[in-house]
Amino acid sequence: MEVVARLLGLLALLLVGTGLRASGVLDTNRTARLNAVAYYVALPALIFISTYDRAIGDLLSPTLLFGLLFVLFSTVGLAWLVHRNRVSRPRQSVAVVQSYHSNLGYLGLPLVDATFNGDVTAVASVVLGVISLTQVPLTVLVLAVVNESETRIRREFVGLLKNPVLLALIAGLAVGSSSTTVPALAVNGLDIVGAFALPLALLCVGASLQVDLSAIDFGASGAVVALKIVCMPLLAWVVFSMLAVDDATFTATVVMFGTPTAVSTFVFANELGGDEQFASLNVFVTTLVSIASLFVLITLVG
């Protein structure tokens, strides 16, 4: 019942965000400011507080790195095979990237932190760092190549290296590996700030979701949902079971890969010639379906 209550709470916050946008309370500027607080303040605080007392060698192993990249690129390959015959290149490019590009920062890590213990959250922070460094440049590359869009991939990669989420992860692991003592007052303050990561993120996601029911492509969107929400976490389950990792690593990887398509894919699609309406629809659908699928995953791994 506790898991059900948590996930129903997630859905409620999403709907509140959507309602605030529809009523005009969360317009574009206010949503952007709220998003900045979540992205530059709350989420980095959560990541730092999850990793500052742990050495990097205890969290990032060759086995974990191999498993993460294997699941990611295997899903990319499946997505390319499934969507290769889409008539529209803008729609094809979006379908491919949204089949693997996970919402790890806004939904994945805060959800793990709210549901599991600190060991699982620490591993989830590392999963966020490794996959973000991989999936963001990959998404930019796929959209740019398929749509023949002009973009500076180097600029995108440099921007990624300045990402506050990744910088917080590096800082936390550096402090943990050096055994530096962090004052209790700072720890308590960051813990309080980090607790706002999930509700703020859900409000922002809800305010960003837009869907045009008349534009639904059931075949393409259904394939995206199947790959992102079903296939990717199932593949993670199989791979990390075979790798015989510890319980915290198994739980973190399966749940993180079970998150819906990231809202940022809509932004990338808009900038790089993708089908914007299709991208917005898939973010909405995968987020909605993931409420049920994450309940199943959390129940099973828990």
Side-chain angles (χ1 to χ4, degrees):
M1 288 301 296
E2 184 178 355
V3 174
V4 174
R6 287 184 184 279
L7 292 175
L8 288 177
L10 300 187
L11 179 59
L13 281 171
L14 281 171
L15 294 177
V16 168
T18 303
L20 291 175
R21 185 204 71 223
S23 64
V25 174
L26 280 181
D27 56 18
T28 302
N29 291 332
R30 289 171 183 165
T31 301
R33 288 196 292 269
L34 192 64
N35 182 74
V37 173
Y39 192 66
Y40 289 97
V41 180
L43 191 54
L46 172 59
I47 291 174
F48 181 85
I49 209 67
S50 302
T51 55
Y52 81 97
D53 57 351
R54 304 166 193 270
I56 186 171
D58 296 335
L59 297 175
L60 181 60
S61 65
T63 300
L64 175 59
L65 183 61
F66 168 79
L68 292 175
L69 296 181
F70 184 87
V71 172
L72 176 62
F73 284 102
S74 295
T75 307
V76 172
L78 288 172
W80 187 261
L81 288 174
V82 170
H83 299 297
R84 68 187 185 282
N85 293 324
R86 303 287 174 205
V87 176
S88 167
R89 292 172 71 88
R91 179 157 297 190
Q92 177 196 32
S93 64
V94 169
V96 170
V97 302
Q98 290 192 317
S99 295
Y100 68 80
H101 197 123
S102 305
N103 196 339
L104 302 177
Y106 274 149
L107 291 183
L109 182 61
L111 176 61
V112 168
D113 178 66
T115 310
F116 300 101
N117 61 34
D119 292 336
V120 181
T121 303
V123 176
S125 297
V126 174
V127 173
L128 168 61
V130 171
I131 297 301
S132 295
L133 280 171
T134 310
Q135 71 179 6
V136 172
L138 181 60
T139 291
V140 172
L141 180 63
V142 170
L143 288 169
V145 171
V146 175
N147 297 315
E148 299 179 349
S149 301
E150 294 184 4
T151 186
R152 299 177 181 176
I153 296 177
R154 181 182 177 185
R155 180 191 62 188
E156 296 291 344
F157 189 73
V158 170
L160 180 62
L161 294 178
K162 298 177 181 178
N163 187 300
V165 170
L166 296 177
L167 293 176
L169 175 62
I170 293 171
L173 292 175
V175 170
S177 299
S178 64
S179 300
T180 302
T181 301
V182 179
L185 183 61
V187 171
N188 293 333
L190 289 172
D191 196 26
I192 294 172
V193 174
F196 287 96
L198 183 57
L200 287 176
L202 288 168
L203 288 175
C204 291
V205 171
S208 302
L209 294 179
Q210 299 184 40
V211 58
D212 182 1
L213 296 178
S214 64
I216 294 179
D217 183 338
F218 288 99
S221 292
V224 170
V225 171
L227 286 167
K228 183 69 207 71
I229 301 301
V230 179
C231 181
M232 200 171 196
L234 179 60
L235 182 59
W237 187 297
V238 172
V239 168
F240 284 96
S241 293
M242 294 176 64
L243 292 174
V245 296
D246 60 82
D247 291 344
T249 300
F250 179 82
T251 299
T253 51
V254 171
V255 174
M256 291 288 275
F257 277 127
T259 53
T261 298
V263 180
S264 60
T265 57
F266 169 76
V267 178
F268 287 131
N270 184 37
E271 294 179 351
L272 300 172
D275 188 326
E276 301 170 35
Q277 283 191 334
F278 181 65
S280 178
L281 171 67
N282 289 337
V283 171
F284 174 82
V285 173
T286 57
T287 301
L288 191 62
V289 174
S290 72
I291 298 297
S293 62
L294 283 169
F295 165 71
V296 175
L297 283 177
I298 291 172
T299 301
L300 292 174
V301 299

